[in-house]
Amino acid sequence: MNPNPSAPGDKPFDQDAWLAARGAVRRPDASCWSTLATIPPQRLNMCSCHGALSLPEVELIECSRGREQDSTAVPSVTHTVLYAARGGALLAVLDVPTSVALDDCAPRSPIPCSVALDVRVEGDAVRFEEAANRTTSACDHPSIAANKPFPGASGWNSASWQRARATYRRICDTRGRYVWQRGALRRAP
């Protein structure tokens, strides 16, 4: 959940009001849709918008999108997509992976069962960092940070663990500050 919501108090974010105030229309991109392997197949919209972020130069709408993976260990990764309203449409100015949970995670898993990043406004930038409610850092866990082989785990092979670790690292690499430059958010040094 966005720690800098634009809605006062406990009032939920009103995506339609935010868009109308900016003369914009949200059209979910093709990557928002997923097809469940059911009979008959079901189409699901994997995108939602749930907050706004205000920087000195631009207002952004914060959305999430599920992205399917070719992995049994990590079937889906959530991306945070930040859009700016321009010319009646929304333009994606940043799309980064921000959370994942292992599909089948044992209590004594050699890696954390999930990693999640929050986004917040920090002056003239946005910052992605691990969720504040975590007691330990998943990104700094030795099994994620190191290149050591994983110890044996029931139902998982080494390739599954390597894919899960690579996914965690992509999310952890998102951490940091992003500043508004030339119409987009760019990673700050």
Side-chain angles (χ1 to χ4, degrees), residues 9-28:
D10 292 334
K11 187 176 177 184
F13 177 71
D14 187 340
Q15 169 186 305
D16 295 329
W18 190 93
L19 292 168
R22 287 144 191 89
V25 176
R26 181 171 185 272
R27 292 180 184 88

Side-chain angles (χ1 to χ4, degrees), residues 21-104:
R22 287 144 191 89
V25 176
R26 181 171 185 272
R27 292 180 184 88
D29 36 77
S31 60
C32 286
W33 295 94
S34 179
T35 303
L36 291 177
T38 58
I39 299 175
Q42 294 179 313
R43 299 271 295 156
L44 295 175
N45 184 339
M46 304 279 289
C47 295
S48 64
C49 296
H50 41 83
L53 303 171
S54 293
L55 296 176
E57 297 180 42
V58 66
E59 287 187 77
L60 305 169
I61 188 169
E62 178 187 351
C63 303
S64 297
R65 178 181 76 209
R67 179 178 253 170
E68 294 174 336
Q69 306 291 296
D70 288 332
S71 171
T72 55
V74 184
S76 178
V77 172
T78 300
H79 280 235
T80 294
V81 185
L82 301 178
Y83 294 94
R86 291 205 186 124
L90 290 179
L91 175 67
V93 296
L94 187 67
D95 181 343
V96 291
T98 52
S99 72
V100 68
L102 297 179
D103 197 38
D104 183 22

Side-chain angles (χ1 to χ4, degrees), residues 94 96 117-120 122 125-130 171-179 186-189:
L94 187 67
V96 291
L117 304 180
D118 287 333
V119 61
R120 65 180 170 87
E122 184 179 80
V126 294
R127 176 175 290 281
F128 287 90
E129 57 194 8
E130 278 191 88
I171 292 167
C172 294
D173 287 347
T174 298
R175 293 181 297 177
R177 287 181 80 235
Y178 295 77
V179 296
R186 304 193 192 290
R187 184 182 286 277

Side-chain angles (χ1 to χ4, degrees), residues 126-147:
V126 294
R127 176 175 290 281
F128 287 90
E129 57 194 8
E130 278 191 88
N133 60 351
R134 292 192 76 97
T135 56
T136 60
S137 169
C139 290
D140 296 330
H141 189 278
S143 294
I144 302 302
N147 284 322

